[in-house]
Amino acid sequence: MASPAILIRAPDHLGDGVLALPAVRALARLGPVSVVGPAWTRTLYGPTEAPPPRPDVAVLFKPAFRSAWRFRRAGWRVGLATDARWPLLDAAVAPGGRHRLDDYAALARAAGAEPAGPPRWSPPAEEAEGAVPLPLDAVLLVPTTRSGPPVAWPGFRALADLLAERGWQPFFTGGPGEDEAVARIAGPHPLIPALPLGAFATLAARAAAVVANDSGLAHLAAAARRATGGDPERVHVVFGSTDPVSYTHLR
């Protein structure tokens, strides 16, 4: 019996894409997989098959109605029962795991796959080579987040000053298009211009520690450290308040 052709609609956000890594790899063990989604999917998941016009199975990590409608002609459709799209799904999985990682694992299981372990990611060699050297006492600070206030923590500059006073070497960096914003926060501290995902992951794995907002780069840093045998708990994530009023008081 031929292996099923599996289409995966990746999440839209990098952090969610990192959390989906164990599920995507488990699905790839079932048969030929094609992944559609943002531009970073090819870097994160590696080269995959071209999307077939009518896949045997469509696993929809993106939770929107539009994704279920787009792939409604797939033979078997698996997705979270969100955005009133459950009539378009053959296996509508109720969200509600302790973490999004759990929801993604449930989707993979509904398609017959069994994910294993937390996310790990080793970057492509050609991207890893772009990482700049870091001293052993370097602390990588990632002060930006696409979610913006109130998720962005305002204390990165003060933290960098304190780290420098105590003998550590803080380095600031961010994502594409964020160099100017990061430079304003960094002040006199060194700035590493935005890097490709693989180079950033290599940098994060080499640093003594990483401090970031809750962001895609934070998830990527932890996955990269796991892949190299490093300690993911040296990635420190600052979770800002989602309530602007509470955030004002916290400041």
Side-chain angles (χ1 to χ4, degrees), residues 9-49:
R9 178 40 168 110
D12 278 345
H13 303 292
L14 174 62
D16 292 340
V18 173
L19 293 176
L21 273 165
V24 170
R25 288 170 177 160
L27 290 165
R29 293 193 287 270
L30 298 180
V33 163
S34 56
V35 180
V36 296
W40 46 258
T41 56
R42 183 176 177 85
T43 299
L44 194 64
Y45 303 130
T48 62
E49 303 287 331

Short mmCIF file of all heavy atoms in Angstrom, two decimals, residues 9-49:
data_model
loop_
_atom_site.label_atom_id
_atom_site.label_comp_id
_atom_site.label_asym_id
_atom_site.label_seq_id
_atom_site.Cartn_x
_atom_site.Cartn_y
_atom_site.Cartn_z
N ARG A 9 -0.27 22.62 6.27
CA ARG A 9 -0.35 24.09 6.27
C ARG A 9 0.29 24.55 7.56
O ARG A 9 -0.23 24.36 8.64
CB ARG A 9 -1.79 24.56 6.15
CG ARG A 9 -2.02 26.10 6.19
CD ARG A 9 -0.97 26.87 5.41
NE ARG A 9 -1.30 28.26 5.22
CZ ARG A 9 -0.69 29.30 5.82
NH1 ARG A 9 0.27 29.05 6.72
NH2 ARG A 9 -1.01 30.53 5.53
N ALA A 10 1.48 25.14 7.44
CA ALA A 10 2.24 25.55 8.62
C ALA A 10 1.56 26.73 9.32
O ALA A 10 0.76 27.45 8.72
CB ALA A 10 3.66 25.95 8.21
N PRO A 11 1.89 26.95 10.58
CA PRO A 11 1.39 28.16 11.26
C PRO A 11 1.95 29.41 10.59
O PRO A 11 2.94 29.35 9.85
CB PRO A 11 1.93 28.02 12.69
CG PRO A 11 2.31 26.58 12.84
CD PRO A 11 2.71 26.11 11.48
N ASP A 12 1.34 30.53 10.85
CA ASP A 12 1.79 31.78 10.25
C ASP A 12 2.95 32.41 11.00
O ASP A 12 3.68 33.23 10.43
CB ASP A 12 0.64 32.80 10.20
CG ASP A 12 -0.28 32.57 9.00
OD1 ASP A 12 0.12 31.83 8.08
OD2 ASP A 12 -1.39 33.13 8.99
N HIS A 13 3.14 32.07 12.26
CA HIS A 13 4.15 32.74 13.09
C HIS A 13 5.31 31.80 13.38
O HIS A 13 5.11 30.60 13.63
CB HIS A 13 3.52 33.23 14.39
CG HIS A 13 2.37 34.16 14.17
ND1 HIS A 13 2.50 35.42 13.64
CD2 HIS A 13 1.03 33.98 14.38
CE1 HIS A 13 1.33 36.00 13.54
NE2 HIS A 13 0.41 35.14 13.97
N LEU A 14 6.52 32.37 13.37
CA LEU A 14 7.73 31.56 13.53
C LEU A 14 7.72 30.77 14.83
O LEU A 14 8.07 29.58 14.85
CB LEU A 14 8.96 32.46 13.47
CG LEU A 14 10.30 31.79 13.75
CD1 LEU A 14 10.60 30.72 12.72
CD2 LEU A 14 11.43 32.82 13.80
N GLY A 15 7.33 31.39 15.94
CA GLY A 15 7.33 30.68 17.21
C GLY A 15 6.43 29.45 17.17
O GLY A 15 6.79 28.38 17.66
N ASP A 16 5.24 29.61 16.57
CA ASP A 16 4.35 28.46 16.43
C ASP A 16 4.95 27.42 15.50
O ASP A 16 4.79 26.21 15.70
CB ASP A 16 2.99 28.91 15.89
CG ASP A 16 2.23 29.76 16.90
OD1 ASP A 16 2.53 29.68 18.10
OD2 ASP A 16 1.33 30.51 16.47
N GLY A 17 5.65 27.89 14.46
CA GLY A 17 6.30 26.96 13.55
C GLY A 17 7.35 26.11 14.24
O GLY A 17 7.49 24.91 13.97
N VAL A 18 8.09 26.72 15.17
CA VAL A 18 9.08 25.97 15.96
C VAL A 18 8.37 24.94 16.84
O VAL A 18 8.78 23.77 16.93
CB VAL A 18 9.94 26.92 16.81
CG1 VAL A 18 10.85 26.13 17.75
CG2 VAL A 18 10.77 27.83 15.92
N LEU A 19 7.27 25.34 17.47
CA LEU A 19 6.53 24.41 18.32
C LEU A 19 5.94 23.25 17.53
O LEU A 19 5.72 22.16 18.07
CB LEU A 19 5.41 25.15 19.05
CG LEU A 19 5.87 26.19 20.08
CD1 LEU A 19 4.67 26.92 20.67
CD2 LEU A 19 6.69 25.54 21.19
N ALA A 20 5.69 23.46 16.24
CA ALA A 20 5.13 22.40 15.40
C ALA A 20 6.19 21.42 14.89
O ALA A 20 5.83 20.40 14.29
CB ALA A 20 4.39 23.02 14.21
N LEU A 21 7.47 21.70 15.13
CA LEU A 21 8.53 20.84 14.59
C LEU A 21 8.36 19.35 14.92
O LEU A 21 8.45 18.51 14.01
CB LEU A 21 9.89 21.33 15.08
CG LEU A 21 10.59 22.42 14.27
CD1 LEU A 21 11.72 23.04 15.07
CD2 LEU A 21 11.10 21.84 12.95
N PRO A 22 8.13 18.96 16.18
CA PRO A 22 7.98 17.51 16.45
C PRO A 22 6.82 16.89 15.69
O PRO A 22 6.93 15.76 15.20
CB PRO A 22 7.74 17.46 17.97
CG PRO A 22 8.34 18.72 18.50
CD PRO A 22 8.08 19.75 17.44
N ALA A 23 5.71 17.61 15.55
CA ALA A 23 4.56 17.08 14.82
C ALA A 23 4.85 16.96 13.34
O ALA A 23 4.50 15.95 12.70
CB ALA A 23 3.34 17.98 15.06
N VAL A 24 5.51 17.95 12.76
CA VAL A 24 5.85 17.90 11.34
C VAL A 24 6.78 16.72 11.05
O VAL A 24 6.60 15.99 10.06
CB VAL A 24 6.49 19.23 10.89
CG1 VAL A 24 7.06 19.12 9.48
CG2 VAL A 24 5.46 20.36 10.95
N ARG A 25 7.77 16.52 11.90
CA ARG A 25 8.70 15.41 11.69
C ARG A 25 8.01 14.06 11.84
O ARG A 25 8.32 13.11 11.11
CB ARG A 25 9.87 15.54 12.65
CG ARG A 25 10.79 16.69 12.28
CD ARG A 25 11.81 16.99 13.34
NE ARG A 25 12.72 18.05 12.91
CZ ARG A 25 13.46 18.78 13.73
NH1 ARG A 25 13.41 18.56 15.04
NH2 ARG A 25 14.24 19.73 13.26
N ALA A 26 7.06 13.97 12.78
CA ALA A 26 6.32 12.72 12.94
C ALA A 26 5.48 12.44 11.71
O ALA A 26 5.40 11.30 11.23
CB ALA A 26 5.44 12.79 14.18
N LEU A 27 4.85 13.46 11.15
CA LEU A 27 4.03 13.29 9.94
C LEU A 27 4.88 12.88 8.75
O LEU A 27 4.46 12.08 7.91
CB LEU A 27 3.28 14.59 9.63
CG LEU A 27 2.15 14.94 10.62
CD1 LEU A 27 1.74 16.40 10.45
CD2 LEU A 27 0.95 14.02 10.41
N ALA A 28 6.11 13.40 8.69
CA ALA A 28 6.99 13.07 7.57
C ALA A 28 7.39 11.60 7.57
O ALA A 28 7.79 11.06 6.53
CB ALA A 28 8.24 13.95 7.61
N ARG A 29 7.27 10.94 8.71
CA ARG A 29 7.58 9.51 8.77
C ARG A 29 6.45 8.65 8.19
O ARG A 29 6.64 7.46 7.94
CB ARG A 29 7.88 9.09 10.21
CG ARG A 29 9.15 9.71 10.78
CD ARG A 29 9.58 9.04 12.07
NE ARG A 29 8.72 9.40 13.19
CZ ARG A 29 8.92 10.43 14.00
NH1 ARG A 29 9.95 11.24 13.79
NH2 ARG A 29 8.10 10.66 15.01
N LEU A 30 5.29 9.27 7.96
CA LEU A 30 4.16 8.51 7.42
C LEU A 30 4.18 8.42 5.90
O LEU A 30 3.63 7.48 5.32
CB LEU A 30 2.83 9.16 7.84
CG LEU A 30 2.52 9.24 9.33
CD1 LEU A 30 1.17 9.92 9.53
CD2 LEU A 30 2.53 7.85 9.97
N GLY A 31 4.79 9.41 5.26
CA GLY A 31 4.77 9.44 3.80
C GLY A 31 5.32 10.76 3.29
O GLY A 31 5.76 11.60 4.07
N PRO A 32 5.31 10.95 1.97
CA PRO A 32 5.84 12.19 1.39
C PRO A 32 5.04 13.40 1.88
O PRO A 32 3.81 13.40 1.86
CB PRO A 32 5.68 11.99 -0.12
CG PRO A 32 4.64 10.92 -0.26
CD PRO A 32 4.77 10.03 0.94
N VAL A 33 5.76 14.42 2.32
CA VAL A 33 5.14 15.59 2.92
C VAL A 33 5.46 16.83 2.10
O VAL A 33 6.58 17.01 1.62
CB VAL A 33 5.65 15.79 4.37
CG1 VAL A 33 5.38 17.18 4.87
CG2 VAL A 33 5.01 14.77 5.30
N SER A 34 4.46 17.68 1.93
CA SER A 34 4.67 19.01 1.38
C SER A 34 4.19 20.02 2.42
O SER A 34 3.19 19.78 3.10
CB SER A 34 3.94 19.20 0.06
OG SER A 34 2.55 18.93 0.22
N VAL A 35 4.94 21.11 2.56
CA VAL A 35 4.60 22.13 3.55
C VAL A 35 4.37 23.44 2.82
O VAL A 35 5.19 23.87 2.01
CB VAL A 35 5.72 22.30 4.59
CG1 VAL A 35 5.35 23.38 5.61
CG2 VAL A 35 6.01 20.98 5.31
N VAL A 36 3.25 24.07 3.11
CA VAL A 36 2.98 25.40 2.57
C VAL A 36 2.82 26.36 3.74
O VAL A 36 2.37 25.97 4.83
CB VAL A 36 1.72 25.42 1.68
CG1 VAL A 36 1.91 24.55 0.45
CG2 VAL A 36 0.49 24.97 2.45
N GLY A 37 3.22 27.61 3.52
CA GLY A 37 3.15 28.60 4.59
C GLY A 37 4.12 29.73 4.33
O GLY A 37 4.52 29.97 3.19
N PRO A 38 4.53 30.44 5.38
CA PRO A 38 5.43 31.58 5.23
C PRO A 38 6.77 31.19 4.62
O PRO A 38 7.12 30.00 4.54
CB PRO A 38 5.59 32.09 6.66
CG PRO A 38 4.39 31.58 7.39
CD PRO A 38 4.07 30.25 6.76
N ALA A 39 7.55 32.20 4.25
CA ALA A 39 8.82 31.97 3.57
C ALA A 39 9.81 31.17 4.43
O ALA A 39 10.66 30.46 3.89
CB ALA A 39 9.45 33.31 3.17
N TRP A 40 9.68 31.26 5.77
CA TRP A 40 10.66 30.58 6.62
C TRP A 40 10.44 29.07 6.69
O TRP A 40 11.27 28.35 7.25
CB TRP A 40 10.65 31.15 8.04
CG TRP A 40 9.31 31.35 8.66
CD1 TRP A 40 8.66 32.54 8.80
CD2 TRP A 40 8.46 30.35 9.23
NE1 TRP A 40 7.44 32.34 9.42
CE2 TRP A 40 7.30 31.02 9.70
CE3 TRP A 40 8.56 28.97 9.40
CZ2 TRP A 40 6.25 30.32 10.31
CZ3 TRP A 40 7.52 28.28 10.01
CH2 TRP A 40 6.38 28.95 10.45
N THR A 41 9.32 28.56 6.15
CA THR A 41 9.04 27.13 6.30
C THR A 41 10.11 26.26 5.66
O THR A 41 10.47 25.22 6.19
CB THR A 41 7.66 26.77 5.73
OG1 THR A 41 7.58 27.17 4.36
CG2 THR A 41 6.55 27.46 6.51
N ARG A 42 10.63 26.67 4.51
CA ARG A 42 11.64 25.85 3.84
C ARG A 42 12.92 25.77 4.67
O ARG A 42 13.56 24.72 4.75
CB ARG A 42 11.95 26.41 2.45
CG ARG A 42 12.95 25.57 1.67
CD ARG A 42 13.17 26.10 0.26
NE ARG A 42 14.18 25.33 -0.45
CZ ARG A 42 13.96 24.21 -1.10
NH1 ARG A 42 12.74 23.72 -1.15
NH2 ARG A 42 14.93 23.57 -1.73
N THR A 43 13.29 26.89 5.31
CA THR A 43 14.48 26.88 6.17
C THR A 43 14.24 26.01 7.41
O THR A 43 15.08 25.20 7.80
CB THR A 43 14.83 28.31 6.61
OG1 THR A 43 15.11 29.09 5.45
CG2 THR A 43 16.04 28.32 7.52
N LEU A 44 13.08 26.17 8.03
CA LEU A 44 12.81 25.49 9.30
C LEU A 44 12.58 23.99 9.11
O LEU A 44 13.09 23.18 9.87
CB LEU A 44 11.59 26.12 9.97
CG LEU A 44 11.36 25.76 11.44
CD1 LEU A 44 12.50 26.28 12.31
CD2 LEU A 44 10.04 26.33 11.93
N TYR A 45 11.82 23.62 8.08
CA TYR A 45 11.45 22.22 7.91
C TYR A 45 12.26 21.51 6.84
O TYR A 45 12.17 20.29 6.69
CB TYR A 45 9.96 22.11 7.55
CG TYR A 45 9.04 22.74 8.57
CD1 TYR A 45 8.05 23.63 8.19
CD2 TYR A 45 9.16 22.44 9.92
CE1 TYR A 45 7.20 24.22 9.12
CE2 TYR A 45 8.32 23.02 10.86
CZ TYR A 45 7.35 23.91 10.45
OH TYR A 45 6.51 24.48 11.38
N GLY A 46 13.06 22.25 6.08
CA GLY A 46 13.85 21.63 5.03
C GLY A 46 13.05 21.46 3.75
O GLY A 46 11.82 21.68 3.72
N PRO A 47 13.70 21.10 2.66
CA PRO A 47 13.00 20.89 1.38
C PRO A 47 11.93 19.81 1.51
O PRO A 47 12.16 18.77 2.15
CB PRO A 47 14.11 20.47 0.43
CG PRO A 47 15.38 20.91 1.07
CD PRO A 47 15.14 20.84 2.55
N THR A 48 10.77 20.04 0.93
CA THR A 48 9.70 19.05 0.95
C THR A 48 9.16 18.87 -0.47
O THR A 48 9.58 19.55 -1.41
CB THR A 48 8.55 19.48 1.88
OG1 THR A 48 7.98 20.71 1.40
CG2 THR A 48 9.05 19.69 3.30
N GLU A 49 8.23 17.94 -0.62
CA GLU A 49 7.62 17.68 -1.92
C GLU A 49 6.81 18.89 -2.38
O GLU A 49 6.36 19.71 -1.58
CB GLU A 49 6.69 16.47 -1.83
CG GLU A 49 7.35 15.20 -1.33
CD GLU A 49 8.26 14.57 -2.36
OE1 GLU A 49 8.00 14.76 -3.57
OE2 GLU A 49 9.24 13.91 -1.97
#
